[in-house]
Amino acid sequence: MADVVVKPQVGGGGGIVIDDDWPGYSLDLFSYPAHYSGDLDCVVVPHGVIMDRTERLARNIMDDLGDHDIVVLCVLKGGYQFCVDLVDKIKALSRNSNRTLPMRVHFIRLKSYLNDQSTEDLHIVGAEDLSFLAGKAIVGTGKTMKALLKHVESFSPKLVKVAGLLVKRVPHNSTCLPDYVGFEIPDRFVVGYALDYNEYFRDLNHICVISERGKTKYKI
């Protein structure tokens, strides 16, 4: 069985690295919706581990940005659960600290997948006018951030930081890593915790690898 190790990363994010030969956890060890029976291969990140890691990221953000007036830019739909939990963790820390982090949350949507393939056709919805970002510190959450960052920076924010629950290792990937990383995972298509396959699996709490049967069953 492969080890799961912590790997420090530039920017203080420090993601948990899950090796390529990590077999994942057996589905028999966890509860999940019965209607997905046979549609999943394994659990990659259990829900409890996600929550613990999210709290650590919230603490890192508080340490770096405490006392700033920030705007949290949540990327829908896949990023909404991570964003909600991250904001809740930051609010809880603020209530029990002498440092405060005033926040506003704005939602936008990016779509770049058809079935399990990423496409070049990226649509940004809800980001037409982000002039209110001028002079603010921005924390972006979600995936497919490269095009969005270029768009956001055109509105002259004071500071931009990216928080990503997952970073996938893919060949020839030149994308900059998020400043706050939850987990670095192998190049496998994962679902759950609001990550979908053609709108299915958003009701799954754990992050799991979809099976070939699942891809076929829900393919459009």
Side-chain angles (χ1 to χ4, degrees):
M1 182 176 293
D3 293 332
V4 180
V5 298
V6 176
K7 175 182 177 183
Q9 298 190 15
V10 176
I16 296 176
V17 177
I18 299 176
D19 289 343
D20 288 341
D21 56 353
W22 166 245
Y25 298 99
S26 169
L27 293 163
D28 294 336
L29 299 175
F30 301 92
S31 297
Y32 64 96
H35 51 265
Y36 293 138
S37 179
D39 301 333
L40 303 167
D41 278 342
C42 64
V43 175
V44 178
V45 189
H47 183 258
V49 177
I50 296 170
M51 298 305 292
D52 285 351
R53 181 63 186 145
T54 301
E55 182 175 359
R56 178 69 258 183
L57 295 182
R59 290 181 181 274
N60 292 343
I61 292 171
M62 280 289 294
D63 290 343
D64 294 346
L65 301 179
D67 298 324
H68 278 83
D69 183 4
I70 73 168
V71 176
V72 178
L73 198 59
C74 177
V75 179
L76 299 173
K77 296 179 183 177
Y80 86 84
Q81 191 62 64
F82 173 53
C83 179
V84 167
D85 289 335
L86 182 64
V87 168
D88 281 348
K89 298 293 187 184
I90 292 173
K91 290 193 299 185
L93 291 171
S94 295
R95 288 194 299 267
N96 298 284
S97 172
N98 56 7
R99 304 182 72 188
T100 61
L101 193 61
M103 289 183 295
R104 287 185 289 162
V105 181
H106 185 77
F107 297 91
I108 64 171
R109 185 177 180 186
L110 303 182
K111 185 171 179 61
S112 63
Y113 272 89
L114 178 63
N115 294 319
D116 61 341
Q117 300 298 313
S118 182
T119 69
E120 296 296 328
D121 189 15
L122 178 65
H123 299 281
I124 304 178
V125 180
E128 293 81 4
D129 182 11
L130 298 177
S131 56
F132 61 89
L133 299 180
K136 302 293 184 181
I138 312 301
V139 176
T141 65
K143 57 183 181 178
T144 323
M145 296 299 296
K146 188 174 182 180
L148 177 61
L149 283 175
K150 183 177 180 181
H151 184 68
V152 167
E153 287 169 354
S154 69
F155 292 94
S156 303
K158 180 180 179 180
L159 179 68
V160 179
K161 296 285 187 179
V162 177
L165 180 64
L166 302 177
V167 171
K168 187 180 293 186
R169 288 190 301 275
V170 296
H172 313 298
N173 184 10
S174 59
T175 302
C176 295
L177 289 174
D179 302 281
Y180 307 100
V181 181
F183 304 90
E184 182 182 309
I185 65 173
D187 186 16
R188 304 179 71 183
F189 197 88
V190 294
V191 293
Y193 195 67
L195 301 174
D196 76 302
Y197 179 81
N198 294 329
E199 299 301 327
Y200 291 93
F201 300 101
R202 295 196 194 276
D203 54 340
L204 180 64
N205 285 336
H206 314 294
I207 294 176
C208 302
V209 175
I210 187 174
S211 67
E212 290 303 318
R213 170 181 161 176
K215 290 180 184 179
T216 301
K217 181 177 177 180
Y218 299 111
K219 187 175 183 179
I220 60 174

